[in-house]
Amino acid sequence: MSNKMHIKLNVNGKDEEFLAEPRELLIYTLRERLNITGPHIGCETSHCGACTMTIDGKSVKACTMFVAQASGKSVTTIEGLGGPDDLHPLQSAFKEHHGLQCGYCTPGMITRAAKLLEENPNPSEEEIRFGMAGNICRCTGYQNIVKSIQAAATEMNAAKEAAE
Amino acid sequence: MIPAAFEYHRPTDMDGVLAVLAEHGDDARVMAGGHSLIPMMKLRMADVPHLIDLQDVGGMSDIELGSDSIRIGALVTQADIIDHEGLAKAAPILREAALQIADPQVRYMGTVGGNVANGDPGNDMPGLMQCLDASFTVVGPDGERDIPAREFYEAAYMTAREDDEVLTSVTIPMPKGGYAYEKQKRKIGDYATAAAAVQITKDGGSCASAAIAMTNLSDTPIFSDAAGAALVGTSLDDAALKVAVAAMLGDIDPTEDNRGPIAFKKHVAGVILRRAIERAWSRA
Ligand SMILES: Cc1cc2nc3c(=O)[nH]c(=O)nc-3n(C[C@H](O)[C@H](O)[C@H](O)COP(=O)(O)OP(=O)(O)OC[C@H]3O[C@@H](n4cnc5c(N)ncnc54)[C@H](O)[C@@H]3O)c2cc1C
Ligand code: FES
Ligand code: FES
């Protein structure tokens, strides 16, 4: 019954086309089929946020989306934000301010935080905690994650001002 | 967690949706944000041989503010509700409630239509819509009809919507007076242990009208006519609050689960309702 369907995705700026069963969850497609292993699988039940990516401008938990639903859309994962040689300000800030320990939650944290800062470039601590509530970290106690996001916001706002 | 295989349909108009529903009957089901349905499919608690994705069906993503009512398309998300400044002015209880649903990622995906059509007693919008006396427009093979939110919920996951009908919009009479959506949950992103939606109007120092609905305390949302009536004509003194809480407790029927035993849930329901009434009154 379940025929494979033709899927088109734009992932981190690159067009991808392939055949997949519609029921495949997007997080699996990226990790197993496209070898994009930045986004992680934690809970698989839409609670932990490790699989968070940006899809057509929304932060989404990719363990709760069928690849069929995502067809035709643009996806940004941690790989699309910065690389080893040109870290995104959030990546540098997490490194600098100890926003990670084991790092398992970090890709989801950073893709979510990037979207949060896009919507609200000057979030208060409370706004950061509220905006990051869909992401769970087992290691850091969150304090340093909040600090990292604040530091990145400052850095990004300064860069924006300098560019203007 | 891999759901059972299904045939995926993505029609671009409502005729296309209704055609798949007509052809496959019980075997077909619509999906909006998927954030209630996909978890059920992953756990194999829902079997959906034909899945109809509504995302490309136009005309269901608008929020329209009229002079005496508000119309919200079924595909409007919780995030859209939170972002809409005009709506926050006209009916601030909607934003207050939406901010307490799940977490940011889920709110980007979860729709108003999915939340009210789902029939899960844990969903927050159904009680809220009962409090606001909303009505739901559904379309099916015989055309359109409106169903009042207060008559929509029959049992857990059983509603007055027929299997071959699709919910297209929610219409809310322009709310008046003070409001509060108060929710007790175990952690952020959790469904309610108990939640209360309250809308109150004031005339001089006394309560002119009060609408009260409770969430996750029965197998349907509970609109407590008696609790609201207990407040009307009073100045919301302690005695009136006690009568309203007792009336509400008489209408709910909680069951024991991982959120606690029955006595605890009743206690929490009372505390939450009291808080909601006091906050709504202070804003009336
Ligand atoms: C981690 C997590 C936490 C959550 N916490 C909460 C919470 O605190 N409070 C809360 O209220 N919800 C919560 N939810 C549920 C979430 O808000 C859902 O997204 C929402 O209830 C359903 O909306 P949806 O658009 O995702 O519906 P879907 O999952 O797509 O559909 C749900 C059901 O409704 C039917 N349906 C959908 N749209 C229509 C339509 N237009 N016409 C007819 N039938 C339709 C579907 O067939 C299905 O049976 C949570 C979800 C998750 C994953
Ligand atoms: S793996 Fe998707 S939310 Fe946990
Ligand atoms: S750093 Fe280990 S889970 Fe967050």
Side-chain angles (χ1 to χ4, degrees):
Chain A
M1 174 228 280
S2 171
N3 296 322
K4 290 200 169 177
M5 67 180 267
H6 185 201
I7 309 272
K8 285 189 191 182
L9 285 180
N10 183 288
V11 187
N12 298 324
K14 186 164 164 251
D15 284 324
E16 305 275 3
E17 289 192 40
F18 49 88
L19 294 174
E21 275 194 68
R23 66 168 162 171
E24 198 170 297
L25 296 164
L26 182 61
I27 185 69
Y28 289 97
T29 307
L30 293 186
R31 291 181 56 85
E32 312 284 334
R33 206 180 272 284
L34 304 178
N35 205 25
I36 292 175
T37 52
H40 292 158
I41 301 173
C43 64
E44 281 197 83
T45 59
S46 7
H47 285 93
C48 74
C51 62
T52 299
M53 52 190 71
T54 309
I55 303 176
D56 277 2
K58 301 171 168 192
S59 297
V60 177
K61 293 175 176 176
C63 71
T64 315
M65 184 182 249
F66 295 124
V67 66
Q69 278 175 288
S71 189
K73 297 190 188 298
S74 293
V75 175
T76 307
T77 66
I78 186 73
E79 286 92 341
L81 290 180
D85 301 322
D86 63 310
L87 291 181
H88 186 279
L90 274 162
Q91 290 169 314
S92 314
F94 268 66
K95 200 173 140 204
E96 186 95 0
H97 297 272
H98 309 289
L100 68 160
Q101 284 185 35
C102 79
Y104 200 84
C105 68
T106 310
M109 288 283 176
I110 289 181
T111 38
R112 172 62 199 139
K115 182 72 202 152
L116 174 66
L117 292 184
E118 197 184 300
E119 290 177 350
N120 181 359
N122 286 301
S124 65
E125 171 170 350
E126 198 189 343
E127 286 168 335
I128 292 175
R129 288 183 184 271
F130 195 74
M132 298 299 295
N135 294 70
I136 294 174
C137 176
R138 283 176 289 191
C139 302
T140 68
Y142 302 102
Q143 191 51 46
N144 289 341
I145 291 175
V146 174
K147 249 199 249 167
S148 304
I149 296 172
Q150 281 171 325
T154 306
E155 164 86 29
M156 288 163 75
N157 290 334
K160 218 187 294 163
E161 238 168 69
E164 271 163 14
Chain B
M1 281 199 275
I2 298 170
F6 54 80
E7 199 75 53
Y8 178 75
H9 306 263
R10 191 154 148 184
T12 50
D13 58 25
M14 192 51 78
D15 287 345
V17 177
L18 295 177
V20 184
L21 284 172
E23 186 181 348
H24 298 287
D26 269 1
D27 278 350
R29 192 132 151 207
V30 299
M31 175 177 67
H35 273 51
S36 288
L37 189 55
I38 295 173
M40 302 261 278
M41 290 171 74
K42 289 204 284 190
L43 296 169
R44 309 239 171 170
M45 286 161 67
D47 178 29
V48 184
H50 289 270
L51 186 69
I52 311 170
D53 189 339
L54 295 178
Q55 68 170 305
D56 286 346
V57 179
M60 292 194 285
S61 303
D62 295 328
I63 297 173
E64 291 161 34
L65 301 175
S67 53
D68 51 10
S69 69
I70 298 166
R71 198 178 148 279
I72 301 175
L75 293 185
V76 167
T77 63
Q78 314 297 348
D80 296 332
I81 295 263
I82 292 166
D83 288 345
H84 198 287
E85 294 299 333
L87 185 64
K89 281 215 181 72
I93 193 171
L94 291 176
R95 180 186 275 177
E96 182 159 293
L99 283 167
Q100 297 179 64
I101 293 177
D103 59 49
Q105 286 96 316
V106 174
R107 292 195 291 264
Y108 278 116
M109 294 304 291
T111 65
V112 171
N115 203 295
V116 301
N118 194 28
D120 181 339
N123 282 141
D124 288 287
M125 290 271 157
L128 176 65
M129 294 304 171
Q130 289 193 336
C131 169
L132 294 174
D133 200 15
S135 59
F136 303 152
T137 304
V138 299
V139 60
D142 303 326
E144 240 178 43
R145 65 185 180 116
D146 290 335
I147 310 169
R150 292 176 190 173
E151 291 164 21
F152 191 73
Y153 299 95
E154 295 168 347
Y157 302 101
M158 308 261 297
T159 69
R161 182 183 63 85
E162 298 296 334
D163 285 341
D164 57 2
E165 288 178 319
V166 181
L167 196 149
T168 53
S169 67
V170 172
T171 304
I172 303 168
M174 198 58 82
K176 292 192 188 77
Y179 67 93
Y181 192 78
E182 188 80 35
K183 174 172 170 178
Q184 174 65 44
K185 53 196 182 211
R186 293 170 303 179
K187 64 168 196 47
I188 212 158
D190 192 21
Y191 292 92
T193 301
V198 175
Q199 192 84 35
I200 289 183
T201 61
K202 204 183 234 177
D203 186 9
S206 81
C207 170
S209 72
I212 291 174
M214 307 297 293
T215 291
N216 221 9
L217 294 159
S218 286
D219 66 352
T220 63
I222 294 295
F223 178 71
S224 182
D225 230 342
L231 299 178
V232 175
T234 74
S235 59
L236 263 70
D237 51 291
D238 194 56
L241 283 173
K242 279 199 179 113
V243 180
V245 167
M248 176 278 290
L249 291 174
D251 284 344
I252 63 171
D253 184 19
T255 48
E256 174 165 350
D257 59 20
N258 56 5
R259 290 189 177 78
I262 293 170
F264 172 73
K265 290 190 173 184
K266 287 188 170 170
H267 172 73
V268 177
V271 172
I272 288 297
L273 178 56
R274 207 172 236 277
R275 270 189 213 157
I277 293 172
E278 283 168 353
R279 196 141 50 91
W281 185 240
S282 73
R283 288 161 162 172

